[in-house]
Amino acid sequence: MLASLDYLWLPWLLCLLLTGMHAYLGLHVLRRGVIFVDLALAQVAAFGVVVAMLAGLPAGSVWSHGFALTFTLLGAAVLASAPVRTLRVPQEATIGVVYAMAAAACALLFGVLDDAHAAQALQATLTGQSMVWVTSTEIVETALLYALVAIVHVLARRPFAAISRDAAAAQAAGYRVRGWDFVFYASFGVVITSSVQVAGVLVVFAFLIVPAVIGALVAERDGPRLLVGWLAGAVASFAGLLVSYRLPSGPSVVLALGTLLAIVAVAAHIARARARGRTLLRVGATFVAVAGLASAIAWLPWRTWAMATAQAHTTTSPAAPAVTTDTDPDATLRAAVEALARGDRSALRVLGELAASDTAPPFFRDEAFALLRQHVPLDIEHVDDATARARLRATLLTLPAERR
């Protein structure tokens, strides 16, 4: 059992790093009321990537990352210097404007770019890669960057805490609010720019908000809140990764975090209610109503899918397009299984390439190899080492065309 979960450890270690840094930043975000600041800064970073592409710089390069970071720091300067506090305008309004402007600029420049490869690169910048593909090098680089940012926050913990609690009182106490705001948002932007490259905007936003909210529901002081948030992030991320062996890892982790938040929120509501009996009845009735509605909604697409599947087995339809390889091992494996169910023999080649890959996570490699052996006679017992995978690649080249 443990051997089959080997592919989880590096993604979970990444989740622990994300929880450790983002849960702490989330406490500041909640106090400041700037919930969507990471989405705005991530969009500004994407704008920087598009500008780098227009300059002829390859996506994913150091220079492209430098452009993204530079534009993120400019966005941090805008958020720190905007005079919204003196005009009694919520800072969230400025964040929304920054997000909208960056998104509109991306759309305009992207139309000029008109490059399919650039589209994929920009999508990777916004959504990140599948977390099961994270490498030990990326883990180390992320840990070192977070450590540097943590040092900055330790040194500046007093002004950061004072401004997050009450900016007006902090300014009256002698703190230069705009200067310290820039340092805060700049460090925040550095973290976001790096995090979205390995996890994606959705996952980063969930780790920023959900653990901090869970901590706020359970504890009163910042220290216990942070500890509760770290524990919640660690448990929920492991549960999400555990159920994602046949599902996309990022959305699975986000749903696990959201589910844990719902459970903690309901428990906190019941614990603080004066009439717990009536509260339990209301919660139970709400749960039954929501579950019934969700079941009714889910029944319709399930019935449609079942009817379409039955019709596909009884009628002759044109051959479906051949399955192709994909950068996400989850999607590759699922597409190959579906293609085999349709009778598409080209899926065997995809399974062979995934099983013989030196970079694919062991779980997906073993699953692909087991499926391949069910359809193709092989004298190879496993693909646990590079020599066996090389033999498999050579064997695939010698198979008859109809078996590939």
Side-chain angles (χ1 to χ4, degrees), residues 9-348:
W9 302 122
L10 280 180
W12 191 45
L13 185 56
L14 173 64
C15 289
L16 293 180
L17 290 173
L18 291 171
T19 301
M21 175 55 67
H22 289 271
Y24 161 76
L25 292 174
L27 294 179
H28 282 282
V29 166
L30 291 180
R31 286 191 180 277
R32 289 169 177 249
V34 290
I35 308 301
F36 298 103
V37 65
D38 70 321
L39 296 178
L41 291 179
Q43 188 63 57
V44 172
F47 176 58
V49 172
V50 174
V51 173
M53 291 177 184
L54 286 173
L57 300 173
S61 64
V62 175
W63 287 104
S64 176
H65 187 79
F67 266 75
L69 182 58
T70 300
F71 275 82
T72 303
L73 293 177
L74 290 175
V78 170
L79 295 178
S81 60
V84 293
R85 291 193 178 97
T86 58
L87 298 178
R88 297 182 181 179
V89 176
Q91 197 168 16
E92 194 77 352
T94 305
I95 292 171
V97 171
V98 169
Y99 174 82
M101 295 291 287
C106 278
L108 290 175
L109 294 182
F110 196 67
V112 176
L113 199 60
D114 193 21
D115 186 347
H117 177 70
Q120 295 177 353
L122 181 60
Q123 183 179 6
T125 300
L126 290 173
T127 61
Q129 62 181 347
S130 176
M131 288 193 294
V132 296
W133 284 106
V134 69
T135 64
S136 56
T137 301
E138 290 172 326
I139 293 289
V140 172
E141 291 174 350
T142 302
L144 290 176
L145 178 65
Y146 285 2
L148 292 176
V149 173
I151 291 173
V152 172
H153 278 257
V154 168
L155 296 176
R157 63 187 182 278
R158 294 183 184 276
F160 284 171
I163 294 171
S164 293
R165 283 193 298 267
D166 190 335
Q171 189 166 10
Y175 290 113
R176 297 181 179 272
V177 173
R178 289 188 179 179
W180 286 115
D181 264 354
F182 173 73
V183 176
F184 175 82
Y185 285 120
S187 64
F188 192 97
V190 169
V191 170
I192 294 299
T193 304
S194 174
S195 299
V196 297
Q197 300 294 325
V198 293
V201 175
L202 182 65
V203 175
V204 170
F205 179 75
F207 275 111
L208 179 72
I209 298 300
V210 175
V213 172
I214 291 176
L217 288 172
V218 174
E220 296 293 334
R221 295 182 293 112
D222 285 346
R225 285 182 177 182
L226 188 57
L227 292 176
V228 171
W230 283 344
L231 179 61
V235 172
S237 60
F238 186 79
L241 290 171
L242 196 61
V243 302
S244 72
Y245 71 100
R246 287 292 177 87
L247 299 170
S249 53
S252 298
V253 170
V254 172
L255 286 176
L257 285 166
T259 301
L260 181 59
L261 173 59
I263 293 172
V264 172
V266 170
H269 176 62
I270 293 173
R272 295 170 184 172
R274 292 183 178 179
R276 294 184 181 178
R278 283 182 292 179
T279 302
L280 278 171
L281 288 176
R282 286 198 299 268
V283 169
T286 303
F287 176 79
V288 171
V290 171
L293 180 61
S295 300
I297 293 174
W299 178 78
L300 294 175
W302 175 263
R303 182 173 180 271
T304 303
W305 175 85
M307 293 176 62
T309 302
Q311 184 178 5
H313 283 292
T314 57
T315 61
T316 302
S317 59
V323 65
T324 58
T325 56
D326 194 280
T327 55
D328 187 341
D330 297 339
T332 299
L333 193 58
R334 289 198 302 272
V337 172
E338 293 172 1
L340 283 176
R342 297 192 304 263
D344 185 354
R345 302 284 291 179
S346 68
L348 296 177

Side-chain angles (χ1 to χ4, degrees), residues 345 348 371-378 395-396 399 403:
R345 302 284 291 179
L348 296 177
L371 288 172
L372 181 65
R373 292 190 67 184
Q374 293 177 12
H375 297 84
V376 177
L378 297 172
T395 303
L396 291 174
L399 288 177
R403 282 194 174 177

